[in-house]
Amino acid sequence: DTGVSQDPRHKITKRGQNVTFRCDPISEHNRLYWYRQTLGQGPEFLTYFQNEAQLEKSRLLSDRFSAERPKGSFSTLEIQRTEQGDSAMYLCASSPTSGSSSEQYFGPGTRLTVT
Amino acid sequence: TQLLEQSPQFLSIQEGENLTVYCNSSSVFSSLQWYRQEPGEGPVLLVTVVTGGEVKKLKRLTFQFGDARKDSSLHITAAQPGDTGLYLCAGVTTDSWGKLQFGAGTQVVVTP
């Protein structure tokens, strides 16, 4: 399967701990996006990479959040000093630069629960 | 506040019935996507529309993009239990890098 993969699928952590999620996009896709989805809502944009460059960050991304895409391939999203309000599904998506670049393909998500 | 308003929020119908989901905004979009999401999974892309007035068909699903590129609809004919899921519309505004602005979704339940 050559779709977007995310790891882990589920993460339970205690408040105040740090967590890191990984996303492996579709191999030929240059663009990578992170979204967050809470219950009853659609996904909300967090940040966007074009290759290794982080080009946009949402105001939702407080300074406890950091994302990287060091070699323009996989990406990581780290949350420091987690809070209960961070509990959500974290989704990664990728898209090609050419063609209809707005078509984004999502991974299965990482479900974070902060206790 | 979400840029895209979806209606209804919840729809429960019996197998064989038709249904329509609406997605409205005051903003103009360069493209609009429809996704379906199952519990605990990521959204799966169904279709992308880019031209005002465009109509696309995917088997029993018909997607329409409004002439002004501010709204869209999804119509399902003869719904089946396998159509059950959360339907999300998402638009790309002309001033963005391609980031998607999602509606809150319409939960569709089709009972046998």
Side-chain angles (χ1 to χ4, degrees), chain B:
Chain B
T1 319
Q2 313 228 221
L3 196 62
L4 284 160
E5 296 292 329
Q6 283 190 241
S7 61
Q9 289 183 312
F10 182 81
L11 199 52
S12 180
I13 60 170
Q14 293 205 311
E15 183 176 3
E17 293 181 339
N18 302 334
L19 68 99
T20 302
V21 176
Y22 300 93
C23 178
N24 295 295
S25 178
S26 57
S27 298
V28 177
F29 297 100
S30 58
S31 68
L32 192 139
Q33 287 81 50
W34 283 92
Y35 292 82
R36 185 170 72 202
Q37 187 176 26
E38 305 281 346
E41 298 293 331
V44 175
L45 179 64
L46 297 175
V47 78
T48 299
V49 286
V50 296
T51 306
E54 183 176 4
V55 177
K56 280 193 174 179
K57 291 192 175 184
L58 186 67
K59 296 183 181 178
R60 294 175 294 98
L61 278 60
T62 302
F63 304 86
Q64 189 162 7
F65 200 15
D67 291 340
R69 291 184 288 131
K70 294 182 179 181
D71 54 84
S72 182
S73 64
L74 157 62
H75 183 78
I76 302 179
T77 303
Q80 299 177 358
D83 295 325
T84 293
L86 180 68
Y87 288 83
L88 294 158
C89 65
V92 178
T93 55
T94 53
D95 59 348
S96 77
W97 288 95
K99 71 181 183 188
L100 293 172
Q101 307 265 12
F102 279 86
T106 295
Q107 180 63 51
V108 172
V109 176
V110 183
T111 54

Side-chain angles (χ1 to χ4, degrees), chain A residues 50-61:
Chain A
Q50 171 90 18
N51 298 312
E52 66 274 10
Q54 187 173 20
L55 296 183
E56 187 173 353
K57 292 195 293 186
S58 162
R59 285 174 302 210
L60 292 174
L61 217 64

Side-chain angles (χ1 to χ4, degrees), chain A residues 13-43:
Chain A
T13 191
K14 292 186 177 179
R15 189 177 56 187
Q17 299 294 305
N18 299 343
V19 293
T20 301
F21 310 140
R22 177 180 170 123
C23 170
D24 286 88
I26 294 171
S27 60
E28 63 269 24
H29 286 185
N30 294 331
R31 297 185 175 190
L32 187 148
Y33 301 81
W34 285 98
Y35 293 85
R36 182 172 70 186
Q37 185 177 23
T38 54
L39 200 62
Q41 298 295 318

